[in-house]
Amino acid sequence: MRAALHRHGPLAAGLALLVGLWAGPLVGRAETSFAAHMVLHMGLVAVAAPALAFGLARSVPAVGRRVSARFAILAALTEFALVWSWHAPALHDAARRETAVLILEQGSFLLAGLLVWTAAFGTAEGARGARAAGVGALLMTSMHMTLLGALLLFAPRPLYRCGDLCSPLATLTPLEDQQLGGVLMLLVGGAAYLTGGLALLAGILDPKREGAAPA
């Protein structure tokens, strides 16, 4: 029992986090609040996705074993394209107004996060080049999330029409709501990927670990 819990517990915890995000009140709030929408997004890519990726690596080791450097970079580029595309005004407003589009958006966020974190955990056991690619994938993601968060925070006006249309009774103005969402992306998204990248980098720079790693 203890061995099964040790092996499958992280995956179960990741699934519980995912259920909490998608079955809780955040989905409804995400339609009327940009900040709540961002909490849902960050919960998926910076909390649930790494937990699920770690759980999959523990429960089904073959899933992420020996991930290639190319896969890690492609995963990071995929997440970059998806995150920035879904934050384009037309697509974001559509996701706030249409449940089907919201499901597609959030599903793609989860998939992108899983790709990056699975690549990072998979390369952690590989050769130095693969591990460097895993570090690069996480740091690249941290940088573009930081940039997008800063854009949302410092934009002089609301970037989305839904700020007025979807939440007429909100206590925050559309610009304040957008700024709060930008802060959340900076503090949660940028920090989570940065921390993961630096942790993997520490493994590369550890001479004891390097001596045992395959060439």
Side-chain angles (χ1 to χ4, degrees), residues 51-108:
L52 286 168
F54 179 75
L56 283 171
R58 180 72 64 83
S59 295
V60 191
V63 169
R65 184 177 293 160
R66 301 289 183 172
V67 172
S68 69
R70 180 178 298 178
F71 179 85
I73 298 304
L74 286 175
L77 291 174
T78 298
E79 178 158 41
F80 171 79
L82 285 171
V83 168
W84 281 78
S85 295
W86 279 112
H87 284 86
L91 285 178
H92 175 80
D93 286 338
R96 295 272 295 276
R97 292 194 300 262
E98 302 291 338
T99 301
V101 182
L102 177 66
I103 292 171
L104 179 61
E105 177 204 51
Q106 297 300 314
S108 66

Side-chain angles (χ1 to χ4, degrees), residues 150-202:
L151 174 64
L152 295 168
L153 174 60
F154 295 113
R157 60 179 178 80
L159 302 177
Y160 307 105
R161 292 187 62 206
C162 207
D164 289 312
L165 300 177
C166 298
S167 50
L169 301 180
T171 55
L172 296 177
T173 67
L175 182 58
E176 290 170 341
D177 194 24
Q178 178 179 292
Q179 290 170 335
L180 179 57
V183 170
L184 291 169
M185 177 168 272
L186 282 167
L187 295 182
V188 180
Y193 284 89
L194 177 62
T195 301
L198 292 178
L200 287 183
L201 181 60

